[in-house]
Amino acid sequence: MKGEPSINTNNLTAVQLMELDACVRCGECVNWCPTYDAANKDPGLAPRDKILRWRQFMNKSYGLRARLFGPKAIPEEDIEQFKDDVYKCTTCGMCATVCEVGINTIELWESMRANLVKRGNGPYGKQGMFVKLIGEYMNPYMADNKDRLSWIPDDVKIADKAEILYFGGCTAELRQQKLAFATARVLNHLGIEFTMLGEDEVCCCSALVRTGQYEIEDIARKAARKNVDGIVAKGAKKVLYACAGCYRTSLVDWPRLLNEEMPFEIIHITEFLEDLIKEGKLEWKKPFDNLTVTYHDPCHLGRHVGVYNPPRSVLNAIPGINLKEMDRIKENQRCCGAGGGVKAGVPDLALGVAETRVQDALAKNPDILSSACPFCKRNLSDGRDSLGADELVVEDVIVLTAEALGISLDDCVES
Amino acid sequence: MSMEYFSGLTESAEIVNSLGMLTESMRITFAAVMIMAMISFAIFMIGMYINLKKWGLGSEGYGLKPSNGSILTFPKTLAYQMSAKGHGHGQNIFVTLILDALLQRRALKRSPGRWLMHIAIFGGWIALCIMSVAMFVVEIIHMVGIHIISPEVFREMLSFPNDVFSYILLFGIIVAIFRRLFVTKARESTIAFDSVLLIGLTIIVVTGFIADGIRNGTFWGMGMQSDLAPPASLFHVVISLFFCIAYIPFSKYMHMIAGPLTLMANKGGE
């Protein structure tokens, strides 16, 4: 009697299984992988070797030999090792960008992770807490969901219903409130009527999708449903995001989870501001004093969905800011190291990648390292602190915008 | 079906050569080539069937349940993915096929040197393959009695382009071998999966040059025994059919099919 295959194909699409056979092992992905670099070139982390190993797993389980003589058993330790390696990836997508045959590695790693979660191997380390936290608290910070409103200062006017909705996101509402402060006050300042979901907002579930846990207890789908229904109930036609992770998840993952098109437009705050700048609607009241700013493209905003120019347009429009680009930008950008659950699961690795990225920035002698994602800000700040580069300010584009518009954020106290 | 495959020898009386190597059973005939081509193609089809079954174990879309291994699952998933909306990425399929699959723009963008090596191998291989198929078709047409062009004349017409593309392929292979042997990064990462492909191509090209030289009686200025032309041709044909057709689904050669399909599925990639 033939044995059972050691692995199955759960969560992998037919196209993804084909992509495994497309890899020519050119090694371009290895040249650019940020976690491979930060892990002292651990060969197990090289993207092409992960593809090779899963292809070998597939062939041992379902290839010619398996068909003739039965599947060949794969040692459990090999699968565990593979799991460790596939989770030591920020899913930044650099390997997809440089892949000569265009393999969509971001989706591939996420599908492998989801497969390994179902098999009982994944996730990695503390990432397993995401399910409990988001399932129970509706955010990954163990905060009371009512606290999503606690940052709102008295002067900020949030309509009960409006055509524009600002989706704050867990990190901005519960940890980096300055980002939410800035976004809300900029919108008020510009006379844009907007609404928010408030305590009805649920985590976008990016962390669950990135770590392959989105099917557990159906939490991610239910969360997406609740958010989408809430947004529709608020009468919103446009939803603004200042968090790159929430933006990517709403744009790409929610339609997949719900199997439907979103009934509203999904816009990153920098895209929204870029349009207003073009229309001449921003009046800069407090120009910066000739500061050099370098911009870090968040993976979830850049490579994942192609938003490269709007943040730069905003920075270029702010008087007194001299935008100086790093060597690796846009589609060739180096990841900050926080994504893909690495910050939670493998913090040392996340810090190692962040240090390298901060060094990229320091090479340009900037006053400010700016980004458009609270996760990037957090990890780049950690990288800066680790390097002792205290003079470097790490700040979000929307915060710089608020300051240049003359909006005070001094009353913001972050958790 | 006793038509003799055109090997440069027109007299079939000489059954055993001076070295005693050539027997009637070794004499290369159209039927023999035809049978070998059919066997190679059959192995190729079996391999592709196994691959399609393997790919068909995947789901038809993200988050869906795995399929049952139907050979239709992959084409359906591919068609769906190609028609799905891209986010910030995605380009016209003709741009993808011409610039990315055919001209390998993505490789050029990352490493012009590696692109030159690969485009030489790819271009040489494809051109020789097309010319071989064209020669095969001309022989079939001639065999069934339609005399548009004689195989001998057509072969002479192809002689020059054959030489040109053979040298292009040879150039690519030499660069590839050099890279695998002397570029540290490439050498250290080379595994049997990579080596087999290169060894196969090298054998094909070398046997091709030798067979051609023997048929013409001269090989890079050296005199060759013309009566060895049939077995030399036979060996070259067998090894070419094996590596260039039969072995594709079971080896790294599969990237020739899976690569363009991946580019199409991902609308040219990120």
Side-chain angles (χ1 to χ4, degrees), chain A residues 251-269:
Chain A
L251 190 66
V252 181
D253 301 304
W254 285 1
R256 279 186 192 157
L257 289 166
L258 300 174
N259 196 26
E260 63 188 42
E261 289 294 312
M262 294 297 98
F264 41 78
E265 203 178 339
I266 290 166
I267 305 167
H268 191 265
I269 190 71

Side-chain angles (χ1 to χ4, degrees), chain B residues 115 133 147 217:
Chain B
W115 173 83
V133 170
H147 298 284

Side-chain angles (χ1 to χ4, degrees), chain B:
Chain B
M1 298 289 283
S2 61
M3 176 179 171
E4 186 169 320
Y5 191 78
F6 185 71
S7 63
L9 291 181
T10 49
E11 302 100 37
S12 58
E14 195 70 32
I15 295 172
V16 180
N17 75 352
S18 54
L19 298 173
M21 284 175 66
L22 180 60
T23 67
E24 188 60 42
S25 63
M26 286 176 70
R27 183 168 290 287
I28 191 163
T29 65
F30 184 80
V33 172
M34 191 77 170
I35 289 165
M36 285 186 291
M38 288 299 117
I39 291 170
S40 298
F41 192 67
I43 296 171
F44 170 82
M45 292 303 285
I46 290 166
M48 284 309 298
Y49 173 78
I50 291 168
N51 279 333
L52 279 171
K53 293 283 281 181
K54 185 177 71 178
W55 301 341
L57 291 166
S59 66
E60 290 184 18
Y62 294 101
L64 302 179
K65 299 222 173 299
S67 304
N68 57 3
S70 160
I71 58 168
L72 296 177
T73 302
F74 171 70
K76 273 158 68 179
T77 313
L78 178 68
Y80 173 76
Q81 195 166 318
M82 286 172 66
S83 63
K85 186 180 165 189
H87 295 288
H89 309 291
Q91 62 188 15
N92 182 291
I93 187 170
F94 296 108
V95 175
T96 300
L97 287 174
I98 294 168
L99 294 184
D100 293 318
L102 203 62
L103 299 178
Q104 297 156 24
R105 175 176 56 172
R106 293 176 70 89
L108 176 62
K109 198 172 171 188
R110 295 295 160 191
S111 168
R114 202 168 59 235
W115 173 83
L116 184 65
M117 171 202 78
H118 194 261
I119 203 80
I121 295 174
F122 172 77
W125 193 92
I126 291 288
L128 292 174
C129 191
I130 290 170
M131 285 191 284
S132 298
V133 170
M135 187 69 232
F136 186 70
V137 170
V138 165
E139 295 217 25
I140 285 187
I141 291 172
H142 188 263
M143 209 176 86
V144 297
I146 304 169
H147 298 284
I148 299 170
I149 186 166
S150 89
E152 287 84 352
V153 172
F154 190 62
R155 186 168 288 274
E156 285 312 306
M157 279 170 61
L158 293 184
S159 178
F160 179 69
N162 241 317
D163 280 350
V164 170
F165 284 104
S166 297
Y167 280 110
I168 289 173
L169 178 58
L170 182 65
F171 166 76
I173 289 170
I174 288 170
V175 175
I177 291 172
F178 180 86
R179 186 172 164 267
R180 292 283 173 187
L181 289 178
F182 301 109
V183 176
T184 314
K185 259 188 182 178
R187 184 179 63 239
E188 286 174 355
S189 66
T190 300
I191 56 173
F193 182 71
D194 309 306
S195 313
V196 168
L197 179 138
L198 204 48
I199 291 167
L201 277 177
T202 307
I203 294 172
I204 290 169
V205 173
V206 171
T207 57
F209 274 110
I210 292 173
D212 190 55
I214 291 175
R215 188 175 64 212
N216 296 328
T218 175
F219 177 59
W220 288 355
M222 295 180 286
M224 302 293 278
Q225 288 271 10
S226 288
D227 47 3
L228 284 175
S233 269
L234 180 66
F235 183 76
H236 173 66
V237 168
V238 169
I239 211 83
S240 300
L241 288 170
F242 173 72
F243 272 113
C244 295
I245 297 178
Y247 195 45
I248 288 174
F250 308 99
S251 64
K252 189 177 175 179
Y253 287 103
M254 189 60 202
H255 79 268
M256 291 187 294
I257 295 168
L261 287 174
T262 300
L263 285 163
M264 282 162 62
N266 296 322
K267 302 180 174 67
E270 277 197 26

Side-chain angles (χ1 to χ4, degrees), chain A residues 199-217:
Chain A
E199 62 182 276
D200 291 332
E201 185 178 316
V202 184
C203 175
C204 71
C205 291
S206 174
L208 293 180
V209 178
R210 307 282 84 80
T211 57
Q213 302 181 84
Y214 60 93
E215 287 186 54
I216 299 177
E217 297 173 26

